[in-house]
Amino acid sequence: PTPRDTSTSPSPPPAAPEAPATPEAPATPEPTPASDPPQFYRLTLRDNVRIQEGIGQRVATGDTLTAVFSTQSRGGPPQVTLAAPNLPLAVHIAFAGLAVTAPPRPADRPLSIAPPLRDDDIYVTCTGGLTMVPLADPAEIAMLASPEDTLVTLSGAPVEMLDRQRGAQAECDRVVYHALDERAELIGSTAHPLSMRTAQLVAGGEIFWIRRRDGGFTGPGWLVASRAEPEPAALIGELPGGAAHDLPQDAPTLLRMTWSRALDLAFDTPAPAAPAGDGENDELALRRAVFRGDVEATAERGALAAQEIDLELASDERGRMIPATMTASGEVRATDETQTVWADRVHVTFRPSDGERPDESSDELGGTEVHRVVAESDVQVRLPNSARVFADRLVADADTETVELTGVDVAIAHEQWRLDEGHRITMSQQTDTADWDGPGEARMFASVLATGVDRRMNRDDFDLPAEVEASWKGSMHYDGAAGEAGIVDLRGGVELASEPDRLQRTTFEADAVSIELAPAAQPESAAADPTGLDDTRTLGRVSARGNASLDHRSWTHEDRRDSPRIFFIRSDRLDYDQRSGEALVPGPGELLIRDLRPPDEDRGDTFAARGTTSFRWQTKLQMTRRIGTIYDIVMLDDIEMRHLNLNDETATLTCRRLETTIDRAREEPEASTARESTGGGKLLRVKGEGDVFMRTAARDVECDLFEYDVPSGLSRLSATGDNVVTIYTRNVPQPISVRHAEWNLRTDEIRVLGGTGGAAR
């Protein structure tokens, strides 16, 4: 119908040869007054529909195209020209109204189906006819956002699209365009799924939509990014079968992503530094992509899963869009070649690659690399050595290759160790070190912890009986490259307890303790174990500094109902090898050996094998293993030895050098042979040299050398140079002086072996 505004002359009918308008300047009727109800129409083109923008730069093909609009429609192109090849007319449509004109055509010029095109012209053709009818169906009218809207739908089997300038292709079931808000939707179906392809990207899903500055997928979707350069297609019909669905088989894949809910895209103007004439920068550039719902991303050197991933991009110096930041939230799991991170939220900062790699094109995400990672809330990290970290917050820095962990109860589980109750830990992958600021606790287990599983773990999984327990109030430093298998340094009020079984327990206390770890002895079957879990560590050398003490206790019964045998050392410095039982005290100290078990027979020795023996020295103590469970202990300078036997008899020995031999075997009632232990002890031999003075309940003895064999009860007294052995007996005023003598400490009898002296009769 013609406009009802009487001020505008109606357009002549289509057959009128003297139409006032021309194709170059068609008549544009006045808008329909707002008081008049809008008139709705449906325009339909059928069969072999082809839409071409400009000189074939963008082409779309389908089976049917429909346009629903009204006399109040706006937002579409200012003018549409319809041409029929077999009729001498062209139809011009202005969306504010509708006018049909017949442009003049010289008799000698055949009708051209394709009028002269400009770059912004859109040319549509079909072979099955064109109809335009009034529309009265309320349901179809309701598809318009308002009477000012225009809805265009292109459907096909499938719809195919090609953008030659950008090397982009797409296939889908139908395309829907809302002119009012300039929104286009590519919709897929089971028979004709939606897929899109650019030079480096293949994507698909249920619905893809785009407006001027935003777009994305609605519903589940996927994308694959690669470095492949597709062959340019001259015409839409020349597209290879399946090209919009699959990358070439030899195309290196940079990134694969899937999501279940949506992908939101935001666009912006390109960077000013972008080179002029670069096709990919002629229009808007992607600035942000938000993936929602069960998101999974797999790249060449890692993978990421989360409920939502928010990726922001920026322009590099070449005008290319590269990742700037990424935020993943909700059940985040991130992996790369070195570690796996679980958290509720992860924020990543990227930077351009430094170009030091031989093939810079191999860098992921368009020549970028991860610069900084911040993970928050219920953070867990599985490191390359299968160490498991628990924290509230993690900060990883690529420059220093360090990870900083903070929280209320930071914990690390590594091989046989679990460290917890920390507040701040810094770990270096480059140096294989860890620094623990503040107090903490540690436990060591008999076997390797199962920290390498590919899932979040519960800390209760590591609540196992511990062989070693440690606590400190200052700090902890771990160096995995030091020593045989790593060194742990503890500072401030350190307490360390080792309990390999119920029959023995060793406790260290000091201001600082350094623990040198060592590989555990491997069973013969270890080589056949494909899991590698037999690669365990054990305590090696332990060095204590400042108020150091070592207390080893052993029992005969596992319920510990018997009185423990005690081996106790105290000094300012103490080195102890847990494997061999050897010790070094480079300074003054004390040693206590106690064994209160009933003797095998009542011999009444002054220095009996059992009882309580204490030692003091000034310069050094060194304990070395002679063979099996037999150890030699050497003490130097200002030595004092006190022994209290089971009969409450006391004996004292002082000298400048003292050697003792002890048997540290652990006796068990049901075993016929002794088993090795790292403490306790039965006194076997005592040897004192230099200014020896010994006191018993009955005698005092002065000599240069005192040698005592505990099993036989015999001792040998000797003098050197011009000195003599002097023996004082209680209630006898005159001492005995000899060169050599033998003293039976069981019977308290003395036999002179060399030299004579005076004595009272």
Side-chain angles (χ1 to χ4, degrees):
T2 57
R4 299 183 181 184
D5 188 350
T6 57
S7 65
T8 303
S9 300
S11 299
E18 53 273 274
T22 65
E24 290 76 15
T28 303
E30 293 293 330
T32 302
S35 60
D36 294 339
Q39 301 295 315
F40 294 90
Y41 298 89
R42 184 199 317 117
L43 173 68
T44 305
L45 288 78
R46 297 181 180 86
D47 300 339
N48 300 317
V49 178
R50 179 185 178 92
I51 305 173
Q52 176 177 317
E53 180 180 355
I55 315 297
Q57 290 301 315
R58 296 183 177 92
V59 179
T61 63
D63 298 330
T64 304
L65 183 145
T66 62
V68 177
F69 58 94
S70 79
T71 52
Q72 297 181 6
S73 293
R74 64 182 180 85
Q79 179 175 287
V80 174
T81 299
L82 304 179
N86 298 322
L87 296 176
L89 59 86
V91 181
H92 301 271
I93 301 175
F95 282 91
L98 183 62
V100 180
T101 64
R105 177 171 58 89
D108 59 348
R109 180 184 298 176
L111 176 67
S112 172
I113 298 178
L117 298 180
R118 296 173 297 179
D119 288 343
D120 57 352
D121 285 341
I122 297 177
Y123 181 42
V124 184
T125 62
C126 65
T127 62
L130 176 154
T131 61
M132 184 170 65
V133 299
L135 189 62
D137 184 358
E140 196 166 358
I141 294 175
M143 297 174 63
L144 297 176
S146 74
E148 298 179 338
D149 194 11
T150 298
L151 178 65
V152 180
T153 302
L154 175 64
S155 58
V159 172
E160 295 182 334
M161 288 157 283
L162 172 65
D163 187 332
R164 292 187 177 90
Q165 184 178 8
R166 292 162 181 78
Q169 304 167 353
E171 290 184 2
C172 61
D173 185 78
R174 63 190 184 278
V175 178
V176 178
Y177 176 71
H178 298 266
L180 188 61
D181 60 359
E182 299 183 21
R183 175 187 172 101
E185 295 179 353
L186 282 65
I187 304 173
S189 66
T190 302
H192 307 295
L194 165 63
S195 60
M196 307 168 64
R197 174 175 178 148
T198 65
Q200 285 85 28
L201 182 69
V202 175
E206 292 183 349
I207 299 175
F208 177 78
W209 62 276
I210 188 168
R211 289 184 298 207
R212 179 58 179 166
R213 290 185 179 272
D214 57 0
F217 282 87
T218 300
W222 56 270
L223 66 81
V224 179
S226 80
R227 305 187 192 93
E229 295 291 342
E231 295 294 332
L235 297 173
I236 197 76
E238 298 178 7
L239 294 178
H245 298 275
D246 303 299
L247 290 168
Q249 294 296 321
D250 58 348
T253 299
L254 288 174
L255 180 67
R256 295 179 183 270
M257 295 195 70
T258 61
W259 60 91
S260 65
R261 287 173 47 205
L263 166 59
D264 296 333
L265 305 173
F267 302 90
D268 201 352
T269 54
D278 190 346
E280 64 176 323
N281 292 303
D282 289 344
E283 295 183 356
L284 298 178
L286 180 63
R287 290 295 182 183
R288 185 180 181 187
V290 182
F291 303 82
R292 305 181 191 277
D294 303 318
V295 185
E296 293 187 6
T298 304
E300 287 182 318
R301 294 188 293 272
L304 176 66
Q307 290 303 306
E308 181 176 299
I309 296 178
D310 188 340
L311 180 65
E312 293 189 1
L313 300 99
S315 300
D316 64 5
E317 68 279 358
R318 296 167 56 186
R320 301 175 303 172
M321 302 308 299
I322 59 174
T325 65
M326 183 200 69
T327 302
S329 57
E331 302 175 12
V332 181
R333 177 185 181 274
T335 63
D336 60 18
E337 296 170 319
T338 62
Q339 61 190 358
T340 300
V341 178
W342 291 269
D344 292 338
R345 183 179 183 274
V346 174
H347 182 75
V348 181
T349 303
F350 298 92
R351 66 181 177 188
S353 301
D354 56 17
E356 294 181 357
R357 294 182 178 88
D359 181 11
E360 183 177 350
S361 64
S362 65
D363 296 340
E364 293 183 22
L365 301 174
T368 63
E369 60 187 12
V370 174
H371 178 225
R372 194 168 185 263
V373 177
V374 178
E376 297 175 312
S377 183
D378 194 13
V379 179
Q380 286 191 30
V381 184
R382 185 186 64 186
L383 298 173
N385 54 9
S386 294
R388 177 78 55 151
V389 174
F390 302 83
D392 295 332
R393 190 171 189 266
L394 172 150
V395 178
D397 189 281
D399 290 335
T400 59
E401 295 187 14
T402 59
V403 175
E404 181 183 89
L405 306 164
T406 55
V408 176
D409 184 6
V410 180
I412 299 176
H414 176 47
E415 293 185 341
Q416 296 160 262
W417 285 91
R418 173 181 169 178
L419 302 91
D420 48 21
E421 297 194 10
H423 302 299
R424 180 187 177 94
I425 304 174
T426 302
M427 306 175 67
S428 172
Q429 179 180 331
Q430 185 177 22
T431 60
D432 193 17
T433 60
D435 288 292
W436 186 300
D437 296 335
E441 293 185 356
R443 282 178 285 174
M444 183 177 180
F445 307 97
S447 58
V448 173
L449 300 173
T451 55
V453 297
D454 189 17
R455 60 175 174 82
R456 253 178 176 164
M457 301 189 70
N458 194 318
R459 301 189 190 203
D460 294 340
D461 295 342
F462 309 125
D463 285 341
L464 307 173
E467 284 194 347
V468 179
E469 295 181 349
S471 64
W472 61 93
K473 299 178 181 178
S475 64
M476 184 276 290
H477 174 76
Y478 168 76
D479 188 344
E484 294 184 72
I487 292 178
V488 179
D489 289 320
L490 308 176
R491 297 287 185 271
V494 181
E495 296 182 4
L496 177 65
S498 171
E499 190 170 316
D501 53 48
R502 289 290 299 169
L503 295 176
Q504 55 182 332
R505 177 181 177 85
T506 303
T507 303
F508 288 91
E509 292 184 4
D511 295 337
V513 173
S514 179
I515 306 171
E516 185 173 337
L517 304 178
Q522 298 294 316
E524 295 181 359
S525 60
D529 179 17
T531 66
L533 295 180
D534 284 332
D535 185 18
T536 57
R537 302 185 189 186
T538 186
L539 285 181
R541 183 171 297 277
V542 179
S543 299
R545 301 291 183 270
N547 300 312
S549 65
L550 163 66
D551 185 349
H552 179 87
R553 304 190 177 211
S554 59
W555 293 263
T556 303
H557 305 283
E558 292 189 354
D559 61 3
R560 299 181 177 178
R561 63 180 181 270
D562 54 315
S563 179
R565 279 89 68 202
I566 297 176
F567 181 87
F568 177 85
I569 300 179
R570 179 166 55 199
S571 178
D572 191 63
R573 296 181 59 188
L574 170 62
D575 293 336
Y576 183 77
D577 193 316
Q578 178 74 8
R579 295 171 297 173
S580 65
E582 297 183 340
L584 171 65
V585 180
E590 301 175 9
L591 169 64
L592 174 70
I593 300 175
R594 190 188 76 171
D595 186 352
L596 302 182
R597 292 173 298 168
D600 298 333
E601 57 181 276
D602 187 11
R603 299 179 301 185
D605 294 30
T606 301
F607 285 102
R610 294 180 180 174
T612 302
T613 308
S614 65
F615 301 86
R616 293 177 183 269
W617 64 93
Q618 189 62 35
T619 301
K620 182 178 77 170
L621 175 145
Q622 185 163 9
M623 179 170 62
T624 57
R625 175 183 285 184
R626 178 186 293 184
I627 184 173
T629 60
I630 307 300
Y631 289 80
D632 290 328
I633 301 176
V634 177
M635 288 164 271
L636 299 179
D637 298 333
D638 297 335
I639 299 161
E640 180 184 65
M641 170 183 169
R642 292 178 177 271
H643 179 74
L644 177 66
N645 64 17
L646 298 180
N647 298 324
D648 291 332
E649 296 174 339
T650 302
T652 303
L653 173 67
T654 62
C655 59
R656 286 188 282 111
R657 175 186 173 89
L658 180 67
E659 298 180 11
T660 65
T661 301
I662 61 174
D663 185 355
R664 301 175 65 191
R666 186 177 67 205
E667 298 181 6
E668 301 181 48
E670 299 179 359
S672 58
T673 59
R675 206 167 81 188
E676 290 190 16
S677 170
T678 56
K682 179 170 63 176
L683 196 62
L684 301 179
R685 182 181 70 95
V686 178
K687 179 181 178 181
E689 297 181 78
D691 299 329
V692 178
F693 174 80
M694 188 177 67
R695 170 171 290 174
T696 67
R699 303 180 189 276
D700 291 346
V701 175
E702 294 179 357
C703 61
D704 294 319
L705 178 63
F706 170 77
E707 296 179 274
Y708 175 50
D709 181 70
V710 177
S712 65
L714 297 178
S715 65
R716 183 179 179 87
L717 310 174
S718 302
T720 60
D722 297 334
N723 296 333
V724 295
V725 176
T726 304
I727 303 173
Y728 300 89
T729 304
R730 299 287 183 272
N731 301 321
V732 177
Q734 185 65 32
I736 300 176
S737 299
V738 298
R739 293 286 298 170
H740 303 283
E742 184 180 80
W743 184 9
N744 189 326
L745 292 175
R746 293 183 184 176
T747 62
D748 195 24
E749 295 179 351
I750 296 178
R751 185 164 64 95
V752 176
L753 300 178
T756 59
R761 300 292 181 212

